[in-house]
Amino acid sequence: MDNELTVILTASYIPSHPKILLIREVIESLKLIEYKNSTVFDKCKIILAHDHNNNKKYKKYIKNLKIYLNSLNNENLIFKLRNNHGHLTGNILNVINDVKTEYLLVIQHDLPFIRGFNIEKIISDMRENLFMKHIKFNKRVNKRKKMDAKNNLFGKQIIGKNYIYTRTPGWSDQNHICKKTYYTEIVLKECKDGQFMET
C-alpha cells in the first residue's frame, strides 16, 4: 500500500438502495486513475465512509455492498459506518484519523470518473504550486456560473508542469484532491460534525 495518497469514498442513503449500481461504478472508475505504474484501485487505501441510516433498504444495500467488496478480493478496500447521522462532514470526521498519507482523494458515491488521468502528475503540480490547495474534478465545462461570479477570481489559468488548472472562488465538496492537513487544519475546523459541508 502507498503512503502518499488515500481515497475517501463517502456515501449515504439514497432512493436507489438497496441497489449498489452507483457506488460500484465509482469503485470501478478508480481503475481509470493512473498511479505508481498501476491504478489508484490497486495501489491506494480506499476507505468507504458511510453515513448512518436506519432505513431497511439502506441496511440491505450495506449487506449487498459488503458481498461485492468481498468479491473484489482487494485488501485496500475498507468499509466504515458511522453510528449516528453526520452528513459528509461527519463521514470524513469518522475516518480522517485512518488516513496516514499526505494527500486525500475525496470522492462521492454517485460521481464516477469517466476518463483516465495520472493523479501522480496532479500531486506533482500541487507540490510545485503550493497555493493550489484544493483541486476539484469538474463535472461540467469550465464556465463562469453562480458562485464563480464572486470576486472576479474565476478563470485565471494555472499552467502546471503536467496539467492546466482553472481557478475558481467557489468551493465544492465534489470529487477533489487536497492535503490531509487542508482538512484537519481548515475544512473540519470550519464545518461542524453533522452539518452540511457546503454550509
Side-chain angles (χ1 to χ4, degrees), residues 55-70:
N55 186 290
K56 287 178 190 172
K57 288 182 178 180
Y58 191 57
K59 290 178 179 181
K60 177 68 174 156
Y61 151 83
I62 289 171
K63 197 177 279 189
N64 292 340
L65 178 62
K66 287 181 176 180
I67 291 167
Y68 167 66
L69 294 175
N70 286 335

Side-chain angles (χ1 to χ4, degrees), residues 148-173:
D148 293 324
K150 294 179 183 176
N151 304 328
N152 202 26
L153 291 175
F154 178 80
K156 178 184 177 188
Q157 286 192 331
I158 298 160
I159 301 172
K161 187 169 58 178
N162 301 295
Y163 293 115
I164 298 172
Y165 306 86
T166 300
R167 185 174 69 172
T168 173
W171 192 90
S172 172
D173 61 9

